[in-house]
Amino acid sequence: MISPLLLRGARVPGGPVRDLLLEGGLVRRVAPAGTIPAGPAELDLSGHLLLPALTEPHAHLDKALTWDLVGAPPCDLPSAVAAWRAYAEKVDERDVGSRARRALEQLVANGATAVRTHADILPGDDPLRGLRALLRLREEVRGRVTLQVSVLHVDAPEPLLREALAMGADLLGGCPHLSPDPAAAVERAVALAAECGVGLDLHADENLDPASQDLRLLAAAVRRHGFTGPVTAGHCVSLGAMEPEEAARVAEETAEAGIGVVTLPLTNLYLQGRGHPSSTPRGLTAVRALLDAGVRLAAGGDNVRDPFNPVGRGDPLETAALLVASGHLTPSEAVHAVTAGARSVLGLPAAGPYEGAVADLLAVRGTSLSEVLGTASPDRLVIRAGRVVSRTTVLRELF
């Protein structure tokens, strides 16, 4: 049983300083500062902005932290895939587990209490070794972070996919745009997910070709099958290359099908557009068209220091800042995409500094969203279900 916790003097975005009483995993009371009676356990959050805990809706923990090991040159998506597949031949279960834990701990320290990771079906005689490592990690961290695992594949044999789902993977993933027959890949994914009773999370249209059809195919298949499970599409880069009217139509079809979209600015800005030395496209999905259509929009960090992206710090606030700069979202919209929007896409209940919400919270030093995004202060306190799971305090000395 977690004891009640009283948070004193925290500022909520766009509002005054508040006190919050956390009890039973929920925010039980929010009141003006100094008006809640003293409790047995209190934290002074003066000088901090209190946000819903961050969420990472699209990670690749099995690939994380391999850039220096693989030695991949700066490259586009096909080259990154080739570099990873060559290295993955020698990846073992212990290696995946160790790197994944390090990357996950960084996410938690930065404020994430929910993470969805993709798990590759790896080359070799034991293709599910990476999945086993991530499923074991999911159980080990259950008290600190919710970890969802999606099986990622390109046209893998169906018996292998069934085995992966039987092992306990939460969702079925895939990459239709890398398949020789994207329409057949989408159809098979929807049918198999429906039969096995799991959700779908596909890498879709990860290219700048406006004729790419993954998202539109997925929306049509979901409606045709009457699929009722959760459906997510990540990347959707080609949507940003379409003419505005066409992008709006696809966004409306996506909303009607109930598909959540995850935009991934860090990796897509790195990989996409290398064939355009002049007026290089941004390599993002059409975030404004998706929001205007009512699509549930989330934002993720994707790859962290692996062959697909040599940088990244496992911080959803970095993702939000990139959405402001490259996607032209407001700070509020960008933070929503890594908090409430991402939790919605992951099928999690609402969290935040509001009465009745799940007490998953992040206190970060700062007084406004623009300051928090601009400074990315490492001074952070992370709360999951009313319990502190991480605290980072930095000492700075100037002489």
Side-chain angles (χ1 to χ4, degrees):
M1 182 68 179
I2 300 174
S3 300
L5 177 62
L6 181 58
L7 307 180
R8 294 282 195 195
R11 184 175 297 278
V12 297
V17 173
R18 289 285 191 251
D19 290 346
L20 289 84
L21 178 63
L22 314 182
E23 188 175 14
L26 300 175
V27 179
R28 293 296 184 186
R29 186 178 174 193
V30 180
T35 60
I36 299 179
E42 295 188 10
L43 285 174
D44 182 6
L45 296 182
S46 300
H48 289 75
L49 193 68
L50 192 60
L51 304 173
L54 305 176
T55 295
E56 175 50 74
H58 186 119
H60 288 271
L61 297 180
D62 55 348
K63 297 182 176 78
L65 313 180
T66 56
W67 170 266
D68 292 327
L69 302 171
V70 177
C75 53
D76 56 12
L77 178 61
S79 300
V81 170
W84 165 249
R85 296 297 288 181
Y87 180 77
E89 294 277 358
K90 56 187 177 183
V91 165
D92 60 25
E93 187 174 339
R94 182 177 179 180
D95 173 40
V96 171
S98 175
R99 288 184 291 96
R101 175 178 288 279
R102 287 165 54 202
L104 185 62
E105 287 175 347
Q106 188 64 50
L107 279 162
V108 173
N110 281 327
T113 61
V115 175
R116 177 180 291 175
T117 182
H118 296 271
D120 271 27
I121 289 184
L122 297 170
D125 296 332
D126 184 12
L128 299 182
R129 59 194 184 276
L131 175 62
R132 283 199 307 274
L134 293 177
L135 293 178
R136 185 173 61 250
L137 180 61
R138 182 182 67 184
E139 298 309 309
E140 292 172 357
V141 302
R142 190 172 291 277
R144 290 194 296 145
V145 56
T146 297
L147 182 61
Q148 299 178 355
V149 182
S150 175
V151 180
L152 180 62
H153 72 100
V154 178
D155 297 333
E158 189 167 304
L160 188 59
L161 297 178
R162 291 181 181 275
E163 182 181 354
L165 295 174
M167 287 169 57
D170 300 288
L171 303 106
L172 178 63
C175 298
H177 55 282
L178 298 181
S179 171
D181 189 343
V186 169
E187 186 71 18
R188 183 176 75 142
V190 174
L192 183 58
E195 181 183 340
C196 295
V198 298
L200 271 172
D201 191 334
L202 300 184
H203 288 52
D205 299 316
E206 197 176 351
N207 55 63
L208 288 166
D209 180 3
S212 189
Q213 293 287 308
D214 291 356
L215 186 55
R216 180 163 274 172
L217 290 168
L218 179 59
V222 166
R223 292 195 300 270
R224 185 170 57 254
H225 285 266
F227 187 80
T228 57
V231 184
T232 307
H235 296 286
C236 305
V237 177
S238 68
L239 193 68
M242 293 179 184
E243 292 298 321
E245 296 81 6
E246 183 68 9
R249 282 193 290 270
V250 177
E252 289 171 2
E253 293 172 11
T254 303
E256 290 170 3
I259 298 170
V261 171
V262 182
T263 184
L264 303 158
L266 192 61
T267 293
N268 288 152
L269 288 169
Y270 174 74
L271 289 175
Q272 301 296 327
R274 290 181 177 270
H276 300 263
S278 177
S279 299
T280 305
R282 291 177 183 266
L284 293 178
T285 191
V287 290
R288 182 58 61 194
L290 291 167
L291 289 174
D292 289 347
V295 174
R296 291 173 297 120
L297 180 70
D302 203 1
N303 303 88
V304 176
R305 303 200 298 281
D306 66 22
F308 297 78
N309 173 25
V311 295
R313 57 177 186 260
D315 184 1
L317 290 183
E318 178 183 33
T319 301
L322 281 170
L323 281 182
V324 174
S326 62
H328 295 165
L329 295 189
T330 66
S332 179
E333 290 171 330
V335 170
H336 186 273
V338 298
T339 55
R343 285 185 70 91
S344 175
V345 168
L346 266 59
L348 300 174
Y354 327 107
E355 290 185 356
V358 172
D360 278 26
L361 303 163
L362 167 65
V364 56
R365 187 166 296 283
T367 59
S368 68
L369 290 179
S370 62
E371 180 183 353
V372 163
L373 292 179
T375 63
S377 172
D379 283 298
R380 305 184 192 191
L381 183 139
V382 187
I383 296 172
R384 180 174 185 265
R387 181 175 70 91
V388 176
V389 294
S390 176
R391 185 166 198 165
T392 303
T393 303
V394 174
L395 173 64
R396 176 174 294 164
E397 296 181 302
L398 299 177
F399 300 99

